[in-house]
Amino acid sequence: VEYAMEAISHAGAAVGVLSKEGVVLAAEKKIMSKLLETSKTTEKMYKLDEHIAAAVAGITADANILINAARLAAQRYMFTYDEPMPCEQLCQHLCDTKQGYTQFGGLRPFGVSFLFAGWDKHFGFQLYQSDPSGNYGGWKATAIGANNQAAQSILRQDYKEDISMDEALKLVVKVLNKTMDSTALTADKLELSS
């Protein structure tokens, strides 16, 4: 699990902020080479269902497997119960899968962390963070990936309980601007979701 956590700390950062009006997710798109065509690179944000999105930090191939599993679980739940899957239940389902890969020899843990942003009729807007060990928790504001300690520090200082969506958007951009390795924050280096 330590190596999986190390892989995440070298990945592009992702930040999530919860407000009364919704959740804002932002992620840094690391451009490894100027020869790379940015329109064909992988995403950092994924739509899992109509009511849940996720931001990713870590090994993209591992993330793709778990994203597909989450989408499948959400659709099976919808088919069975005729209502959207609650956010925490989907997060827990994915974390159970991740935890299973830490338990047995011959399997390596998934080297990916997620920020889940969603809404359900039980608890309204929610933000969850999960790590490779299968642990997850609900957050008001959090960060994963590179420089996440510095990002967490800024979030602790600047987050307010009654933050609006506009203020949340400004906060995630401020956090990424101060914690990203590159000198200038440009549109091609950033992905946003709300």
Side-chain angles (χ1 to χ4, degrees):
V1 175
E2 288 82 19
Y3 290 118
M5 298 295 273
E6 188 66 24
I8 292 162
S9 70
H10 294 296
V15 181
V17 174
L18 178 66
S19 80
K20 299 262 188 279
E21 303 157 12
V23 184
V24 177
L25 294 177
E28 170 189 6
K29 289 167 61 173
K30 282 201 169 186
I31 298 166
M32 301 299 177
S33 169
K34 66 179 183 179
L35 300 176
L36 191 64
E37 191 170 338
T38 55
S39 64
K40 296 203 174 30
T41 57
T42 56
E43 304 167 359
K44 297 279 287 182
M45 300 283 179
Y46 295 88
K47 182 179 177 182
L48 303 181
D49 202 357
E50 293 299 317
H51 65 297
I52 302 177
V56 173
I59 301 170
T60 307
D62 290 359
N64 289 337
I65 290 168
L66 290 169
I67 291 294
N68 287 338
R71 287 174 174 162
L72 187 61
Q75 291 306 304
R76 282 184 176 153
Y77 189 96
M78 176 63 96
F79 181 74
T80 305
Y81 300 108
D82 198 28
E83 66 178 30
M85 189 172 196
C87 299
E88 186 173 4
Q89 192 171 345
L90 183 60
C91 181
Q92 184 176 7
H93 175 79
L94 224 55
C95 288
D96 288 346
T97 303
K98 289 164 86 171
Q99 193 279 330
Y101 277 73
T102 68
Q103 213 165 356
F104 307 107
L107 300 173
R108 70 168 178 82
F110 288 102
V112 66
S113 271
F114 289 103
L115 293 180
F116 297 100
W119 181 91
D120 64 45
K121 66 182 180 182
H122 307 289
F123 300 107
F125 291 107
Q126 299 158 70
L127 175 65
Y128 294 98
Q129 175 188 339
S130 77
D131 66 28
S133 67
N135 285 331
Y136 74 94
W139 292 80
K140 294 176 182 172
T142 189
I144 55 175
N147 300 323
N148 70 329
Q149 295 296 328
Q152 293 275 19
S153 176
I154 296 167
L155 288 169
R156 267 193 294 280
Q157 289 174 354
D158 294 357
Y159 181 81
K160 300 185 305 270
E161 287 292 326
D162 58 342
I163 194 166
S164 70
M165 278 294 275
D166 288 340
E167 291 169 326
L169 185 62
K170 288 174 185 167
L171 181 56
V172 295
V173 171
K174 175 184 176 182
V175 168
L176 283 178
N177 191 29
K178 291 192 175 189
T179 58
M180 279 173 52
D181 295 330
S182 58
T183 53
L185 188 65
T186 58
D188 61 329
K189 296 177 186 174
L190 188 67
E191 241 183 287
L192 285 168
S193 174
S194 62

